[in-house]
Amino acid sequence: MIGIFGANGFIGRHLVARLAAGPERVRAVSRHFDPVFAATLPPEVEVVQADLADDIAMASALADLRVVVQLVSTSSPGLQNRYAVSDIRDNVLPQVSFLEACVAAKVERYVFLSSGGTVYGQPQTLPIPETHPARPLSSHGMTKLVVEQYVDMYGRLHGLPYVVLRVANPFGPGQTFRKGQGLIPALLQRHAQGLPVRIINGGEAIRDFLYIDDLTDAVAASIASPAAAMRTINVGSGEGRRIMDVIEAVEAVLGQRFAREDGGRRDSDVDANVLDITLARDLLGWSPRTSFLEGLRRTLRG
């Protein structure tokens, strides 16, 4: 059985649907579930409502799992560095306790979704390979990096086979703007509210956008691939786009022009982030299949 922790989130919902169509049973675990989403789940998906910070509940949720996919996070790069202490308390301590529980439960593969967009910091080269120094500018990226190190330590010391996926900026149908995260839903939300979209850092920052179906394919490949064990792997589109170009692409698909306002500068944002996905191709046999424009059309239809 595969356990998806953080199953009620944007990535989690798509991943549950993707893996439920496969040969192994799926257990969807989350602190809470949207009733509408829960009602859409096939009967063979086991739904468990439990908090990552509750050690006893987690021990129970881990029973009989072969694979764990860890998606839980309460931080976001959009929150900048205003809540660094809370980030440590909420996004490092429970993760380490959960790792201990996974070791005790004899989990055979632990897949952790990290942040390819924030752990590297300002790039020395583009696209960014996994060997690039990791020097985050945001507390979000720092906590992800610290958890990565704990995952590696537990893997080496306790024989917990793991895969760390450093993921670019996922997007797709059903994504909502929360915790300052998600450019495309942020644009749609502000436009729907009759508010101008806020242009941070002049819209010149370059980002790597990955369609959600391609991400769930990568997670499925990381579960299945023996070569991926004990490795850290970038998962992105391998292409960079200016934020302003993304805004204009959304406008073109919708056939509408957004009002705009200057959102000032944000020092915790890097100037550019494009991931080198050569290792994902080599180890996972995976490549993104959905173009940015096609993914955008599907997102705006959904």
Side-chain angles (χ1 to χ4, degrees):
M1 181 181 284
I2 300 171
I4 302 172
F5 290 75
N8 190 59
F10 166 59
I11 296 173
R13 294 183 185 198
H14 284 269
L15 188 59
V16 169
R18 170 68 174 79
L19 296 182
E24 289 193 81
R25 291 181 300 149
V26 170
R27 178 178 294 156
V29 184
S30 185
R31 182 171 55 183
H32 62 82
F33 282 93
D34 173 29
V36 176
F37 165 61
T40 67
L41 293 174
E44 57 268 24
V45 173
E46 181 181 342
V47 177
V48 175
Q49 190 165 321
D51 193 322
L52 189 72
D54 186 334
D55 293 344
I56 295 176
M58 285 299 104
S60 176
L62 286 166
D64 303 320
L65 292 184
R66 184 182 74 85
V67 175
V68 164
V69 182
Q70 174 57 287
L71 308 173
V72 177
S73 177
T74 64
S75 70
S76 160
L79 299 177
Q80 302 179 59
N81 294 323
R82 295 190 297 269
Y83 305 102
V85 174
S86 296
D87 278 347
I88 296 167
R89 181 190 65 223
D90 298 339
N91 293 295
V92 175
L93 300 181
Q95 297 272 6
V96 175
S97 180
F98 183 65
L99 279 166
E100 292 177 345
C102 288
V103 170
K106 299 185 179 347
V107 168
E108 296 178 20
R109 178 154 295 201
Y110 185 94
V111 181
F112 174 63
L113 265 65
S114 186
S115 171
T118 61
V119 298
Y120 293 112
Q122 291 288 11
Q124 298 175 2
T125 183
L126 291 174
I128 304 170
E130 291 84 355
T131 54
H132 188 285
R135 301 179 63 190
L137 296 179
S138 70
S139 177
H140 173 78
M142 185 62 76
T143 58
K144 290 289 189 181
L145 184 59
V146 169
V147 173
E148 283 187 19
Q149 294 298 312
Y150 273 105
V151 170
D152 177 67
M153 184 183 78
Y154 275 79
R156 289 182 287 109
L157 293 180
H158 302 292
L160 175 64
Y162 71 83
V163 184
V164 171
L165 300 180
R166 289 178 172 169
V167 180
N169 295 277
F171 73 100
Q175 187 179 26
T176 58
F177 182 63
R178 56 190 294 269
K179 297 183 299 186
Q181 194 166 13
L183 172 63
I184 293 170
L187 298 175
L188 299 177
Q189 176 177 297
R190 288 188 68 84
H191 182 62
Q193 294 173 340
L195 300 172
V197 300
R198 304 186 68 205
I199 311 297
I200 306 294
N201 296 349
E204 293 300 314
I206 296 171
R207 294 292 182 267
D208 187 338
F209 291 88
L210 178 68
Y211 187 63
I212 186 64
D213 288 357
D214 290 326
L215 173 54
T216 59
D217 284 347
V219 175
S222 75
I223 293 171
S225 170
M230 314 300 278
R231 302 298 296 267
T232 296
I233 305 169
N234 286 339
V235 178
S237 71
E239 300 176 350
R241 284 177 172 77
R242 291 189 319 140
I243 298 300
M244 191 59 72
D245 292 337
V246 174
I247 293 171
E248 291 173 355
V250 174
E251 290 177 329
V253 172
L254 291 177
Q256 301 177 37
R257 169 84 176 179
F258 297 153
R260 304 172 186 180
E261 69 178 13
D262 182 6
R265 296 200 58 79
R266 198 158 66 187
D267 294 337
S268 59
D269 285 0
V270 299
D271 297 331
N273 181 275
V274 184
L275 299 181
D276 184 334
I277 56 174
T278 302
L279 196 62
R281 291 192 176 104
D282 292 345
L283 297 183
L284 304 180
W286 169 91
S287 292
R289 297 182 297 174
T290 310
S291 71
F292 175 74
L293 189 56
E294 176 57 28
L296 190 58
R297 292 192 184 109
R298 294 181 191 176
T299 300
L300 298 178
R301 283 201 306 264

